[in-house]
Amino acid sequence: MLGKGVVGGGGGTKAPKPSFVSYVRPEEIHTNEKEVTEKEVTLHLLPGEQLLCEASTVLKYVQEDSCQRGIYGKLVCTDFKIAFLGDDESALGNDETQFKNKVIGENDITLHCVDQIYGVFDEKKKTLFGQLKKYPEKLIIHCKDLRVFHFCLRYTKEEEVKRIVSGIIHHTLAPKLLKRLFLFSYATAVQNNTATSPKKQTVMFDTLADWLWELERTKGSEKYTAVSVNEGYRVCARLPAYFVIPTLLPEENVPRFQGHGIPIWCWSCHNGCALLKMSALPKEQDDSILQVQKSFLDGIYRIIHKPPKELVKTEDLSSNFVSLQDIQTAYAKFKQLFLIDNSTEFWDTDIKWFSLLESSSWLDIIRRCLKKAIEIIECLEAQNMSVLLLEENASDLCCLISSLVQVMMDPHCRTRVGFQSLVQKEWIMGGHCFLDRCNHLRQSDKEEHQRQPSLPLTQSKSSPKRGFFREETDHLIKNLLGKRISKLINSSDELQDNFREFYDSWHSKPTDHHGLLLPHIEGPEIKVWAQRYLRWIPEAQILGGGTVATMSKLLEMMEEVQSLQEKIDERHHRQEALQAEAPSLLRNSVRLSSLFPFALLQRHSSKPVLPTSGWKALGDEEDLAKREDEFVDLGDV
């Protein structure tokens, strides 16, 4: 019986020294295949989902060490996902299964989530694409959500290997037609939800009634009205069929520039101020057309900006904010820190973790987005000013900033149904170009934002050799420091006085989880998804452990330390007895080293023998702030 066993695999058949111990012979796997299959978890298909190919006797590696241990199961590919079916889910009780994701399982990968596919041939890793002449012994899948899956095909039948590998490559990497996407077959098969109240279901914003309900919920119906001028998308395919504009704006003005230059309502604050967005007018070289556009915009601004009662601040996200190219480049560098294949590569990368993280600029972009959202909230909440977000098509950064503002200000958007409705309103109906930005169709002729192969890690100049003691001092400093002194603290992009006063005032008060919520935006407060990076450390993989699991681990360590301390005390008493009989033993003093508390401690100083410059640097805060690489307690990340 195989079931969930500790089974070795992977690598090449020519490996002289396997790094695993197999308790089951390959012939036993095939002879017991029929018996094991009966215990496998049943594949759950969504409405309209079809099974395309499958392979039995596949090993999914457990990524906790380099021993290449795995779990036996079946690898399948449908027109929606890649799924691994092992027997580990069959042991779950009813209380555990009811909280599982009903759409995507822990071992499921949606086809659009696949970023890169690699094969291992005779222990050599190669990128897989197109038609293969030779099929790999091991399959490695890198996902866009930073997961990495390792599958061993060594014990799988050759015909099944060809089918599953070819099927996965074709359905994830090959160009597709729009109508071939799974969502169309799913929409055809699933039945429409006929719930009566928008409060109990996700609001789709595909009817005029949905927008009227949202206006009533946010008390914005006094100044804004829902229009159906784009019904049937006769004005612009980029705008939703129904949307909301200022009441004083003539509806006949909307088709004039195909919806460009029209302020679109996003959300209303409790004090009557509103968050709006506008797509920029097309750039024209003709002076007469430019004059017409200027007159048109002047009329629009006079409608929405009426001092002193109604003030509108414009935020141009296309010119004075991060660009889409910067975001794409930063994320490509950032994800390379997580897409690691083995523990050796993990520890090689870990020593320069903060340098690589800093050079990616990803956390700085996150901070700038959060800061921009809080600046807009300060205008809405404290200054009683409406805010107009301006972008070329109002479908990228406008969606992001508007969503952040609503999540922070509107408690309804922090509920499950409210958040789903927010995504539907700002991203789906807001016209975000998912196909272009994510390249779901895998087209190769995209001029901008196309899917690109993973970028290599930033190549940094190698530091000169400094010797063992210099490196030991650096590691000691980094560990004792505990947290990185981020450059973001003293960033040149200082917060404005009004913004700082509003930000500090809110954080000085008790938190109201049903009201306004502002995140911390100081450098060290920007967190990263550390669990994906720490997949090679078993202690960090306690799913749902949180602080309870951390405390349990700390108590376990404290118990071990206490036990060791008792042994040390016992040995110390024996040494005292020996010293009373032989005073000459005192001359054999021992230095405090990394072996403490296992080494005998007889020095009064608590400092190890290290260069003086190291301890000087340890006490010099200004010097530490300029360091390029520091360690952080990732348990707090």
Side-chain angles (χ1 to χ4, degrees):
M1 296 292 291
L2 181 57
K4 182 181 178 182
V6 179
V7 183
T13 57
K14 300 180 181 179
K17 292 183 179 181
S19 59
F20 64 89
V21 177
S22 177
Y23 297 99
V24 181
R25 296 189 301 275
E27 56 269 21
E28 293 180 352
I29 293 180
H30 295 292
T31 56
N32 293 340
E33 182 178 346
K34 181 178 180 180
E35 185 177 1
V36 173
T37 304
E38 297 176 355
K39 287 192 173 184
E40 289 179 351
V41 179
T42 305
L43 175 64
H44 298 286
L45 298 176
L46 295 176
E49 185 178 5
Q50 297 180 354
L51 176 64
L52 302 176
C53 52
E54 61 182 331
S56 303
T57 327
V58 177
L59 296 177
K60 175 181 175 290
Y61 286 133
V62 179
Q63 297 181 29
E64 62 181 24
D65 51 31
S66 59
C67 295
Q68 295 187 337
R69 296 179 294 171
I71 301 173
Y72 168 84
K74 180 185 291 184
L75 186 63
V76 302
C77 179
T78 72
D79 56 350
F80 172 59
K81 64 179 181 289
I82 302 168
F84 177 78
L85 307 178
D87 66 344
D88 52 335
E89 296 184 5
S90 60
L92 294 178
N94 295 330
D95 293 338
E96 293 175 305
T97 55
Q98 67 176 336
F99 295 108
K100 291 181 65 64
N101 192 312
K102 300 298 189 300
V103 179
I104 299 297
E106 181 181 350
N107 295 323
D108 294 347
I109 313 168
T110 60
L111 299 183
H112 297 308
C113 189
V114 174
D115 185 55
Q116 288 287 328
I117 300 177
Y118 300 93
V120 176
F121 303 84
D122 296 330
E123 297 188 344
K124 294 182 179 179
K125 175 182 171 183
K126 297 181 180 179
T127 305
L128 300 183
F129 56 89
Q131 189 69 29
L132 300 180
K133 296 181 179 179
K134 183 180 179 182
Y135 291 88
E137 305 160 353
K138 181 178 178 182
L139 199 64
I140 304 176
I141 301 179
H142 286 184
C143 304
K144 295 178 182 178
D145 59 1
L146 308 181
R147 292 183 297 168
V148 179
F149 287 86
H150 294 243
F151 300 106
C152 174
L153 306 174
R154 192 175 183 182
Y155 302 137
T156 310
K157 295 179 181 179
E158 184 178 358
E159 297 79 10
E160 294 184 353
V161 172
K162 292 180 180 180
R163 284 198 299 267
I164 193 66
V165 174
S166 301
I168 289 176
I169 293 176
H170 174 74
H171 293 287
T172 57
L173 302 182
K176 298 179 181 63
L177 297 175
L178 182 64
K179 291 294 183 180
R180 294 286 180 88
L181 296 179
F182 171 71
L183 64 94
F184 289 99
S185 59
Y186 176 81
T188 303
V190 73
Q191 295 181 355
N192 294 327
N193 192 338
T194 57
T196 56
S197 175
K199 296 181 181 180
K200 298 180 181 179
Q201 66 171 352
T202 301
V203 182
M204 303 304 293
F205 294 99
D206 55 356
T207 65
L208 199 63
D210 289 347
W211 289 97
L212 292 174
W213 180 85
E214 182 73 357
L215 280 172
E216 290 294 331
R217 186 187 71 84
T218 60
K219 297 179 175 59
S221 57
E222 295 181 1
K223 301 179 181 178
Y224 300 92
T225 182
V227 296
S228 58
V229 65
N230 196 37
E231 194 171 29
Y233 299 95
R234 56 178 178 263
V235 173
C236 178
R238 178 186 51 81
L239 291 174
Y242 310 96
F243 52 91
V244 176
I245 60 176
T247 302
L248 298 178
L249 179 64
E251 190 171 335
E252 57 269 17
N253 283 2
V254 175
R256 189 167 183 182
F257 291 99
Q258 294 186 331
H260 289 267
I262 298 297
I264 306 297
W265 176 87
C266 298
W267 180 79
S268 286
C269 186
H270 61 85
N271 56 12
C273 298
L275 180 63
L276 309 167
K277 63 181 178 181
M278 176 192 292
S279 57
L281 290 173
K283 297 180 180 179
E284 297 288 348
Q285 301 297 329
D286 187 271
D287 292 340
S288 60
I289 298 180
L290 287 175
Q291 187 62 35
V292 172
Q293 291 182 352
K294 183 178 184 300
S295 300
F296 177 76
L297 288 179
D298 288 342
I300 294 294
Y301 282 123
R302 282 195 297 268
I303 291 175
I304 62 177
H305 185 73
K306 296 181 178 180
K309 292 184 178 180
E310 297 184 19
L311 302 177
V312 176
K313 179 183 179 181
T314 303
E315 284 284 352
D316 190 351
L317 301 179
S318 297
S319 61
N320 56 5
F321 198 49
V322 294
S323 67
L324 301 181
Q325 291 79 6
D326 291 339
I327 295 176
Q328 182 189 32
T329 302
Y331 179 71
K333 293 180 180 180
F334 171 75
K335 72 178 181 180
Q336 291 306 306
L337 300 177
F338 298 85
L339 301 181
I340 298 173
D341 291 333
N342 52 68
S343 58
T344 302
E345 185 179 352
F346 167 80
W347 290 112
D348 290 342
T349 308
D350 187 70
I351 196 171
K352 49 185 178 180
W353 159 259
F354 286 107
S355 296
L356 296 173
L357 183 61
E358 184 89 8
S359 63
S360 71
S361 301
W362 180 249
L363 297 186
D364 182 57
I365 289 177
I366 293 178
R367 177 179 181 267
R368 292 180 64 182
C369 292
L370 294 175
K371 178 178 178 292
K372 178 61 67 175
I374 299 177
E375 287 177 351
I376 294 172
I377 292 174
E378 192 266 338
C379 292
L380 295 169
E381 182 80 13
Q383 300 185 24
N384 293 324
M385 294 176 59
S386 295
V387 178
L388 175 63
L389 302 177
L390 182 63
E391 192 183 7
E392 183 178 356
N393 288 315
S395 58
D396 287 298
L397 296 173
C398 279
C399 299
L400 173 62
I401 300 302
S402 177
S403 298
L404 288 174
V405 170
Q406 293 178 60
V407 168
M408 295 179 195
M409 298 192 72
D410 192 344
H412 173 70
C413 296
R414 299 194 288 267
T415 64
R416 180 181 60 84
V417 173
F419 184 77
Q420 291 174 343
S421 301
L422 173 66
V423 173
Q424 181 70 21
K425 179 179 67 172
E426 295 298 332
W427 295 86
I428 308 300
M429 291 302 173
H432 181 68
C433 305
F434 287 99
L435 290 179
D436 293 335
R437 300 299 181 258
C438 304
N439 198 12
H440 288 320
L441 300 181
R442 299 285 179 175
Q443 301 295 333
S444 59
D445 57 348
K446 298 290 182 183
E447 296 181 359
E448 191 175 16
H449 307 297
Q450 64 179 2
R451 176 191 171 275
Q452 299 178 353
S454 299
L455 299 177
L457 286 171
T458 303
Q459 298 295 327
S460 56
K461 296 182 179 179
S462 58
S463 57
K465 297 287 185 179
R466 292 176 291 177
F468 169 77
F469 287 110
R470 178 68 256 181
E471 293 181 2
E472 186 181 48
T473 306
D474 287 347
H475 284 290
L476 179 63
I477 293 172
K478 293 173 182 178
N479 280 286
L480 291 179
L481 182 62
K483 288 188 177 180
R484 175 174 174 80
I485 301 178
S486 175
K487 296 178 181 178
L488 297 177
I489 296 179
N490 299 320
S491 173
S492 59
D493 187 16
E494 293 295 338
L495 303 179
Q496 299 177 358
D497 292 339
N498 292 340
F499 173 83
R500 170 57 70 180
E501 182 180 356
F502 172 77
Y503 178 82
D504 292 340
S505 174
W506 186 89
H507 279 286
S508 64
K509 301 175 182 178
T511 303
D512 179 13
H513 294 284
H514 299 284
L516 176 65
L517 286 181
L518 299 182
H520 290 280
I521 59 172
E522 305 296 348
E525 299 292 341
I526 306 299
K527 306 298 183 183
V528 69
W529 194 358
Q531 189 177 25
R532 287 290 181 230
Y533 177 72
L534 298 175
R535 60 168 59 93
W536 299 104
I537 301 180
E539 290 79 5
Q541 302 306 312
I542 305 175
L543 297 178
T547 56
V548 176
T550 304
M551 181 59 66
S552 176
K553 191 66 180 178
L554 289 175
L555 292 175
E556 180 182 340
M557 293 176 61
M558 291 174 61
E559 183 179 359
E560 183 178 356
V561 170
Q562 184 178 1
S563 176
L564 291 173
Q565 185 63 49
E566 292 175 355
K567 293 180 181 180
I568 292 173
D569 293 341
E570 181 180 354
R571 185 173 181 179
H572 180 67
H573 293 320
R574 290 201 304 265
Q575 285 296 122
E576 287 182 345
L578 292 175
Q579 290 172 6
E581 298 177 0
S584 60
L585 291 176
L586 292 174
R587 302 192 189 113
N588 299 327
S589 60
V590 181
R591 292 179 177 178
L592 175 63
S593 68
S594 60
L595 295 178
F596 177 79
F598 303 99
L600 180 62
L601 174 63
Q602 292 185 349
R603 293 176 58 89
H604 296 289
S605 173
S606 61
K607 296 182 180 180
V609 179
L610 295 173
T612 307
S613 58
W615 293 103
K616 181 180 179 182
L618 182 60
D620 190 350
E621 296 182 359
E622 181 179 359
D623 181 68
L624 289 175
K626 298 178 181 178
R627 298 191 62 83
E628 288 294 331
D629 217 351
E630 304 292 355
F631 279 1
V632 66
D633 184 4
L634 288 177
D636 295 335
V637 176

